[in-house]
Amino acid sequence: MKHLQLKTKEFVQKATNEERIVACKKFKWIGYTHAKKILNIMDDFLTYPKSHRMPNLLLVGDSNNGKTAILSKFNQLHLAYIDEDTSRLINPVLMIQAPPEPDEKRFYNAILEKLFAPYRTSEKIESRYIRVKNLLIDLKTKVLIIDEIHHVLAGSPMRQRTFLNVIKHLSNDLQIPLICAGTNLAFNAIQSDQQLANRFEPRVLPRWNNDLELKRLLLSFEKLLPLKEESNLIDNNLVTKILALSDGLIGEIAKILELSSIMAIQLGIEKINKSLIDQIDYTPPQNRKRRFIA
C-alpha cells in the first residue's frame, strides 16, 4: 500500500470495511496550488495594520468548486482561543453566511448567533449594530468572512444598496478586512457599489482542466482514499473520465471518488477503474436539470 500516506495506510490495515466506507464519506482537504495562494492572501490580512482603507477579498467561483472549503479551512486555522495572559476570549476570524436576502437585521443576527450572543426581536437596529461592533472589538476579531454574498441580489436595488452600505460601514468602523465569497453573481453584487468595487480584489476559482494541476489533485486524493490497491488515478483514461463527469468542479470530483471508493470496497476490487466509475449511482451536474425536467 505504498500509494497511501502513512496515516491512511495504518488506518486501512486496522479498519473494517464499514469503517473504511465511513472514512470515504468524510471531507478531505486537499491543499492545491490555487487554494494555498488564497489562504496566503487571507493570512496576510491577519497582520495588516489598521487604516481607513483596509484590503478586502472577493472569492468568486461556480457552485461546488471549493469556495466554502477554502474559507472553512482558513477559519479552522484561526479558531477562537483564551489568551493566557488576560484570560480573555479571542476570536481572530469570524465566518458567517449572508442572509438569504439583503436584510440588515438578519445580518446582525447572523453575527450575534455565531458568537452565541442573545438578542431580542424587538431590539432596534442601532442597538444591534453597536452590540455587534463592540463584541467584535472585545473579541479582537481581525477578519470578517461573509459567504454566499450573492444573496444580496435577492432584494430590490434599494435594499441591495442599503445592505452593501451596512457591510461597508462595519468594515470602516472596525478597520478590519472583509472576505466575501459567492458564485459569479457575487461579482455583480459588489460591482453595483463603486466604492466597494474599488476596495475588493477579485479572485476567481476556475473550473479544473486536464492538466498537471488536476493530476496533482487526483494523486493527493489517492493518498487519502482508504483502498488497499493503487488506482493510478493519474492515468489519462481515468483523468479524462473524471473530468468529463465532474464538469471540472472539485466538489463533484470528490463525490465521484467517494462513490467509487465505496463501491470498490463493497465489491472487493479495492481500486478505482473506468469500469467501476461507470457503475456508480452518479448524475453529472450538466445532466441533473434535464433529469429533473424529464
Side-chain angles (χ1 to χ4, degrees):
M1 291 186 284
K2 294 180 180 179
H3 61 289
L4 300 177
Q5 65 170 215
L6 181 59
K7 188 175 180 181
T8 306
K9 179 180 177 180
E10 292 174 348
F11 169 75
V12 170
Q13 289 172 334
K14 299 176 182 178
T16 64
N17 284 0
E18 290 73 20
E19 289 171 334
R20 289 195 292 141
I21 287 172
V22 171
C24 290
K25 297 176 182 178
K26 291 182 178 178
F27 172 77
K28 297 165 184 62
W29 166 256
I30 306 292
Y32 54 95
T33 302
H34 212 70
K36 288 179 180 178
K37 288 181 180 179
I38 293 169
L39 285 172
N40 288 336
I41 292 172
M42 294 192 286
D43 274 334
D44 287 340
F45 284 178
L46 291 168
T47 56
Y48 201 91
K50 289 186 178 295
S51 70
H52 69 282
R53 190 180 180 86
M54 300 297 288
N56 299 308
L57 178 69
L58 176 62
L59 187 57
V60 177
D62 293 302
S63 179
N64 208 16
N65 203 27
K67 300 181 300 298
T68 301
I70 293 173
L71 298 180
S72 297
K73 181 65 175 178
F74 178 68
N75 191 36
Q76 290 167 8
L77 290 171
H78 304 287
L79 295 175
Y81 64 93
I82 300 294
D83 188 311
E84 294 182 359
D85 296 328
T86 63
S87 298
R88 288 179 56 183
L89 178 65
I90 307 297
N91 192 44
V93 175
L94 179 65
M95 178 175 170
I96 64 166
Q97 188 176 110
E101 58 184 29
D103 182 275
E104 185 176 0
K105 184 182 290 186
R106 287 187 177 184
F107 174 64
Y108 297 146
N109 289 352
I111 295 176
L112 293 170
E113 288 172 2
K114 194 74 173 184
L115 298 175
F116 301 100
Y119 59 86
R120 300 185 307 276
T121 55
S122 60
E123 187 176 17
K124 293 183 178 180
I125 288 290
E126 294 81 2
S127 176
R128 285 180 206 237
Y129 174 76
I130 292 172
R131 281 210 299 134
V132 164
K133 176 184 171 183
N134 290 336
L135 272 171
L136 294 179
I137 291 173
D138 290 342
L139 293 169
K140 295 187 178 180
T141 300
K142 296 179 179 179
V143 175
L144 175 61
I145 300 173
I146 307 173
D147 198 8
E148 309 290 352
I149 193 64
H150 52 268
H151 287 171
V152 171
L153 297 176
S156 66
M158 181 175 292
R159 294 189 72 182
Q160 290 179 34
R161 286 194 297 271
T162 300
F163 187 79
L164 292 173
N165 281 333
V166 166
I167 294 174
K168 184 166 52 182
H169 183 59
L170 183 61
S171 175
N172 288 341
D173 263 12
L174 294 172
Q175 292 186 324
I176 62 173
L178 293 180
I179 298 172
C180 293
T183 63
N184 295 327
L185 293 174
F187 184 76
N188 297 334
I190 297 299
Q191 286 292 318
S192 65
D193 184 295
Q194 189 60 44
Q195 288 186 338
L196 275 179
N198 291 334
R199 296 186 182 192
F200 275 87
E201 177 189 355
R203 287 284 172 148
V204 178
L205 281 178
R207 296 195 181 211
W208 292 79
N209 296 306
N210 193 343
D211 55 17
L212 183 59
E213 277 297 306
L214 177 59
K215 290 185 177 181
R216 285 175 178 166
L217 178 75
L218 293 174
L219 187 61
S220 296
F221 266 113
E222 179 149 14
K223 292 178 180 179
L224 299 174
L225 296 173
L227 297 176
K228 296 178 182 179
E229 301 293 334
E230 184 177 5
S231 302
N232 192 23
L233 293 179
I234 60 173
D235 176 80
N236 285 331
N237 289 328
L238 278 176
V239 173
T240 303
K241 180 73 174 178
I242 293 169
L243 183 62
L245 285 175
S246 67
D247 206 18
L249 300 170
I250 191 172
E252 301 294 335
I253 292 172
K255 190 64 179 178
I256 291 167
L257 296 177
E258 173 195 323
L259 295 174
S260 300
S261 298
I262 291 172
M263 182 170 284
I265 293 171
Q266 291 172 334
L267 297 179
I269 298 174
E270 293 296 340
K271 66 179 180 180
I272 299 171
N273 55 42
K274 192 169 179 290
S275 175
L276 185 75
I277 294 176
D278 287 332
Q279 297 177 59
I280 62 174
D281 185 14
Y282 174 80
T283 303
Q286 59 268 38
N287 293 346
R288 289 171 196 163
K289 185 176 182 181
R290 280 182 284 176
R291 174 175 286 194
F292 178 77
I293 294 173

